């Protein structure tokens, strides 16, 4: 599970069984992405010169879904790519076994474009810092914005999301698991589930 997939409080009953608590189901996620899509269009005024770059793993399918929703409204195909930040992270020494993903930049590039970075969970902000460094090596966008499905707080850097599906104030002992059909199985069970890690391993 990605290090930034961490978030807030579940009910004691769910935690005791190790199942956590669902805070966003499939319909909630769809509504959140629809709202983010409309916010991006309102902020950008148009879909022209817009590029979505998802951060692997789950940011990529989220970016594709947002692009589809924008296309359904504007009738414009929004370029979508993937931005791997593995080699730009500041915790490589403590996590040397990270497997890099493939960076895929749309054919039109990012120079002069409005680039929206898309991720599943915003936590410390260090993943996004790495993403900005990676982006700087690819080109010079006109504007860079950030869209996340979940913002759990606990920022360690001055980074703020422009578009948020759900704000979830959290404790550091809590963890969020984001499941998407594209990355976690074809059963269609999109969900965001919270676990209290301070209670994990106590059940017999």
């Amino acid at each position: 599970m990605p290090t930034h997939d961490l978030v807030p409080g579940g009910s004691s009953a769910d935690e005791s069984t190790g199942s956590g608590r669902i805070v966003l189901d499939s319909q909630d996620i769809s509504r959140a992405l629809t709202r983010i899509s409309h916010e991006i269009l309102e902020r950008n005024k148009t879909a022209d010169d817009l590029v979505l770059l998802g951060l692997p793993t789950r940011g990529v399918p989220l970016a594709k879904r947002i692009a589809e929703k924008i296309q359904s409204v504007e009738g414009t195909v929004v370029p979508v790519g993937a931005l791997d930040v593995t080699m730009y992270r500041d915790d490589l020494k403590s996590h040397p076994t990270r497997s890099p993903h493939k960076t895929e930049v749309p054919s039109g590039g990012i120079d002069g474009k409005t680039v929206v970075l898309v991720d599943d969970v915003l936590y410390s902000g260090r993943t996004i810092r790495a993403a900005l460094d990676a982006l700087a090596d690819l080109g010079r966008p006109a504007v860079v914005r950030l869209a996340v499905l979940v913002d759990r707080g606990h920022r360690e850097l001055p980074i703020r999301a422009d578009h948020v599906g759900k704000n979830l104030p959290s404790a550091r002992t809590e963890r969020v698991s984001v499941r998407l059909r594209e990355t976690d199985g074809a059963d269609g069970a999109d969900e965001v589930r919270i676990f209290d890690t301070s209670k994990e391993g106590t059940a017999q």
Side-chain angles (χ1 to χ4, degrees):
M1 179 171 293
T3 57
H4 57 286
D5 281 359
L6 304 169
V7 155
S11 68
S12 58
D14 286 339
E15 289 162 359
S16 65
T17 62
S19 62
R21 177 173 68 90
I22 294 177
V23 292
L24 293 174
D25 61 20
S26 181
Q27 290 185 339
D28 295 328
I29 291 173
S30 179
R31 283 192 291 266
L33 295 180
T34 296
R35 187 175 70 255
I36 287 173
S37 302
H38 284 284
E39 288 179 359
I40 290 173
L41 281 173
E42 290 172 4
R43 183 82 175 268
N44 207 50
K45 308 302 182 185
T46 175
D48 296 339
D49 293 326
L50 187 64
V51 175
L52 304 182
L53 293 181
L55 305 189
T57 306
R58 294 168 184 83
V60 176
L62 290 175
K64 291 178 180 178
R65 293 191 196 185
I66 291 171
E68 290 172 358
K69 290 178 181 292
I70 291 176
Q71 183 178 358
S72 70
V73 174
E74 288 288 291
T76 301
V77 176
V78 177
V80 179
L83 181 65
D84 179 58
V85 304
T86 303
M87 302 309 297
Y88 293 85
R89 297 189 63 97
D90 58 9
D91 57 357
L92 274 179
K93 291 183 179 179
S94 57
H95 297 86
T97 58
R98 290 182 184 275
S99 298
H101 295 269
K102 185 177 181 181
T103 288
E104 298 179 348
V105 180
S107 58
I110 62 171
D111 289 343
K113 304 294 180 64
T114 296
V115 173
V116 180
L117 300 175
V118 182
D119 204 5
D120 55 353
V121 178
L122 178 58
Y123 180 29
S124 68
R126 294 187 179 275
T127 296
I128 304 306
R129 181 207 62 79
L132 293 173
D133 287 346
L135 197 62
D137 281 349
L138 296 178
R140 186 177 176 84
V143 180
V144 180
R145 298 194 178 111
L146 174 62
V148 298
L149 180 60
V150 172
D151 184 347
R152 69 161 294 183
H154 295 291
R155 213 76 75 243
E156 296 172 3
L157 297 170
I159 288 173
R160 177 183 61 83
D162 300 279
H163 311 287
V164 179
K166 187 173 182 64
N167 286 289
L168 291 171
S170 66
R172 291 186 181 275
T173 56
E174 293 169 325
R175 173 173 59 87
V176 77
S177 172
V178 177
R179 289 182 56 85
L180 301 175
R181 60 180 179 270
E182 296 94 334
T183 57
D184 303 290
D187 58 0
D190 293 345
E191 66 177 25
V192 177
R193 189 182 292 264
I194 290 175
F195 300 85
D196 185 346
T197 60
S198 67
K199 298 183 180 182
E200 289 182 359
T202 61
Q204 300 296 322

